[in-house]
Amino acid sequence: MTEADLNLVVVERLDAAEDVVSLTLADASGDPLPSWEPGAHIDITVGDGTTRQYSLCGSPDDRSVYRIGVLNEPAGRGGSVWVHDALKVGAALSGRGPRNHFPLHQSPRYLFVAGGIGITPILAMIGAVQKAGAEWTLVYGGRRSASMAFLDEISDIGSRATIWPQDTHGLIDLPGLLSEPRDDTLVYCCGPEPLLVAVEKLCAPWPSGALHLERFSPKDVGAPVRSDSFEVVLTDSGVTLTVPPDRTILEVVEAAGVNVLSSCGEGTCGTCETGVVDGEPDHRDSVLTPEEQADNSCMMICVSRSVSPRLVLEL
């Protein structure tokens, strides 16, 4: 997957559900867009100059357009409101990507669990597993049917998809769904934090690597391991810096004049992923799997810190 700067134009805008808009985006020059795989997202620069991440939910086979679904969240940070208000057909926007920290791994069987706007990355995954001939089921929950995006497309899938509106069905029966660990099944889940926490807890007895999650907001990881300063050695830049308790590695590195790609600043997008040469990171991101964190070969320097007094980074 090639990550690139994106200059895009809105070519179609549809209401996908109550407070959800579906935007189809093309390259402003008419060129093919960078290739992507299910689970990928792109960064979009919103009105105040900051960036937001949106999952791609179209077909990876069609490089003429990207499609994203955006939930309007008036109580959020303002990005979704700007998208809903400003991005009409013909509007230009910039971004970067695609980037994938929620990749679809090969398996004979899949269980997809989506909550609300978390259906967006799952849509492309379903298309891929259908094409591969794998077995799969989907449970898709939301507050009510009117608020659940892309229901027409999901209805076309057939009986493998279960629609679970909370106002008529209550909460998804996660214990019934996940009570029996399966060696041949991967679980993919995306949605609001309470759903993700519940699925994580219920999948604890499942085989290692069975569960794959994508978060739209950072998880609570508690206090840092170290409450004091630590050193970071930047191998490519040849400098050693001190990171105090009240500043992030990213802030210290940028203040030293070292350019690092970054986006969300809260450990959810993966833009600032940095290689670790030596030392033990205190992983505080919501991107890497437990296995990837244990490997200690990379870290997200916007939020993660250090267990050891010294970290050596590929910067």
Side-chain angles (χ1 to χ4, degrees):
M1 185 186 300
T2 301
E3 184 175 332
D5 291 326
L6 302 172
N7 293 300
L8 304 168
V9 61
V10 180
V11 296
E12 185 178 58
R13 174 183 168 127
L14 300 171
D15 291 329
E18 185 180 276
D19 291 327
V20 180
V21 66
S22 170
L23 298 177
T24 302
L25 312 172
D27 181 84
S29 300
D31 294 332
L33 292 162
S35 61
W36 62 282
E37 296 176 355
H41 67 264
I42 56 173
D43 295 344
I44 295 294
T45 303
V46 298
D48 63 359
T50 60
T51 58
R52 300 290 185 271
Q53 291 72 46
Y54 298 107
S55 297
L56 295 174
C57 59
S59 170
D61 296 330
D62 183 1
R63 292 182 57 193
S64 66
V65 292
Y66 288 155
R67 185 178 68 163
I68 60 174
V70 183
L71 171 66
N72 192 9
E73 298 181 275
R77 295 177 294 166
S80 67
V81 173
W82 179 83
V83 168
H84 277 249
D85 291 347
L87 292 187
K88 313 299 183 184
V89 171
L93 64 158
S94 61
R96 187 170 178 83
R99 185 181 309 112
N100 198 343
H101 284 280
F102 191 41
L104 182 67
H105 298 283
Q106 187 173 1
S107 176
R109 191 180 305 273
Y110 299 86
L111 171 59
F112 298 109
V113 183
I117 198 63
I119 190 62
T120 48
I122 301 297
L123 283 176
M125 292 182 175
I126 290 173
V129 300
Q130 283 186 306
K131 188 175 181 180
E135 293 294 318
W136 63 273
T137 54
L138 164 69
V139 178
Y140 175 26
R143 296 188 308 277
R144 55 189 180 277
S145 294
S147 69
M148 299 171 69
F150 306 112
L151 281 186
D152 289 345
E153 294 179 34
I154 294 168
S155 297
D156 292 340
I157 293 171
S159 60
R160 294 185 181 187
T162 300
I163 308 301
W164 203 295
Q166 185 176 340
D167 62 340
T168 58
H169 291 58
L171 296 174
I172 296 173
D173 180 18
L174 294 175
L177 196 63
L178 299 166
S179 60
E180 183 180 345
R182 285 163 256 173
D183 292 333
D184 65 345
T185 302
L186 294 182
V187 179
Y188 279 80
C189 181
C190 186
E193 186 64 14
L195 173 68
L196 301 182
V197 170
V199 170
E200 276 185 311
K201 182 178 179 180
L202 289 164
C203 283
W206 283 58
S208 176
L211 176 61
H212 300 266
L213 301 172
E214 182 168 55
R215 284 182 155 87
F216 295 137
S217 57
K219 61 183 178 182
D220 183 3
V221 294
V225 173
R226 296 184 68 93
S227 59
D228 57 348
S229 301
F230 58 93
E231 283 189 343
V232 288
V233 179
L234 310 185
T235 58
D236 297 346
S237 304
V239 298
T240 299
L241 304 170
T242 298
V243 181
D246 61 342
R247 301 184 73 192
T248 67
I249 298 175
L250 178 62
E251 289 171 339
V252 170
V253 166
E254 288 183 328
V258 178
N259 292 323
V260 181
L261 285 176
S262 63
S263 179
C264 71
E266 57 185 19
T268 59
C269 74
T271 308
C272 68
E273 180 177 335
T274 300
V276 178
V277 179
D278 192 26
E280 182 181 356
D282 176 11
H283 294 287
R284 306 179 59 76
D285 66 277
S286 303
V287 176
L288 299 175
T289 66
E291 293 79 14
E292 289 170 334
Q293 290 185 344
D295 184 58
N296 283 333
S297 61
C298 66
M299 66 185 298
M300 306 302 159
I301 63 171
C302 66
V303 292
S304 294
R305 300 187 67 80
S306 184
V307 175
S308 55
R310 182 172 175 268
L311 280 177
V312 182
L313 305 178
E314 293 178 345
L315 285 174

